[in-house]
Amino acid sequence: LPVPASSIYSRFDGIVDWRTCIDTVDSTHENIQVRSSHLGFGHDPAVAMLNYLNLALWLLGYAAQAHVQFRKLEQMAQVVAQPTSQAIAQCMLAKSTCMRRDGEAALRFAEEGVRLGQLLSPPCCKALASAFQGWALADRGESAEGMAQLMEGTAAWRAMGNKHFTTVLLGLLAEACLK
């Protein structure tokens, strides 16, 4: 019996020759090329590395160098094939723009993170992006809606047992309270 199949392959696999993953395309078979290492299928580790490099440079006071890494992450978010990586990239871009106090950019990245989080990725992406979106709304003067969304996103993030970024979220919440 013919069974529909999708062959997912990467020219960057490094372990399996990508040509062995290609199937003949017909009405029941398709080939999908992604940008991934062998162990990175499902999530591109370069997204996380660019995020952490951007964050480290920012925290060390190298704003210009951090911005270069931010732009690389922004470009990668446009081309990375894995939906989870797309959502994570948008969340990290929103976090970076929150830290730079760029509310409009934070809102744009957070909205895309929420959209991707609802459609394609683990619920943690939606929770984190939602919290950043709330900060951005509060930053532009929509205090009640922004605070509610920031608190809801932070609560959802913490309810999943996540500890990282919690201090960032609580700091953004405190800042929003002062507006």
Side-chain angles (χ1 to χ4, degrees):
L1 291 172
V3 177
S6 297
S7 298
I8 301 173
Y9 70 96
S10 172
R11 293 177 187 231
F12 301 99
D13 189 299
I15 294 177
V16 176
D17 184 343
W18 64 270
R19 289 170 281 234
T20 64
C21 301
I22 302 292
D23 203 350
T24 304
V25 176
D26 60 26
S27 63
T28 61
H29 294 86
E30 64 179 339
N31 297 312
I32 303 169
Q33 181 178 350
V34 298
R35 184 182 181 278
S36 178
S37 66
H38 185 75
L39 298 175
F41 278 94
H43 173 56
D44 190 332
V47 169
M49 294 307 104
L50 283 172
N51 168 58
Y52 290 123
L53 181 57
N54 168 42
L55 179 61
L57 289 168
W58 176 263
L59 293 173
L60 290 170
Y62 299 106
Q65 292 168 329
H67 194 66
V68 169
Q69 301 310 314
F70 174 87
R71 288 290 176 216
K72 287 180 182 178
L73 179 57
E74 186 176 25
Q75 290 168 354
M76 180 173 276
Q78 302 302 314
V79 298
V80 70
Q82 298 89 343
T84 301
S85 294
Q86 292 171 358
I88 290 170
Q90 294 299 324
C91 287
M92 297 305 99
L93 291 164
K95 174 192 55 76
S96 294
T97 50
C98 284
M99 292 174 70
R100 289 197 329 253
R101 303 303 185 257
D102 183 350
E104 290 305 312
L107 185 59
R108 186 175 72 250
F109 292 123
E111 285 174 345
E112 182 63 6
V114 168
R115 185 187 74 76
L116 290 168
Q118 289 171 330
L119 297 174
L120 334 153
S121 67
C124 60
C125 292
K126 180 182 178 237
L128 192 57
S130 189
F132 292 138
Q133 185 180 31
W135 175 85
L137 290 170
D139 184 63
R140 77 174 191 189
E142 298 175 39
S143 298
E145 181 184 350
M147 288 285 295
Q149 189 166 341
L150 179 52
M151 288 189 289
E152 182 180 313
T154 301
W157 177 255
R158 294 178 77 190
M160 289 176 222
N162 294 311
K163 305 268 187 257
H164 60 296
F165 298 131
T166 299
T167 53
V168 171
L169 296 175
L170 294 174
L172 293 173
L173 183 58
E175 181 183 318
C177 286
L178 294 172
K179 290 192 175 218

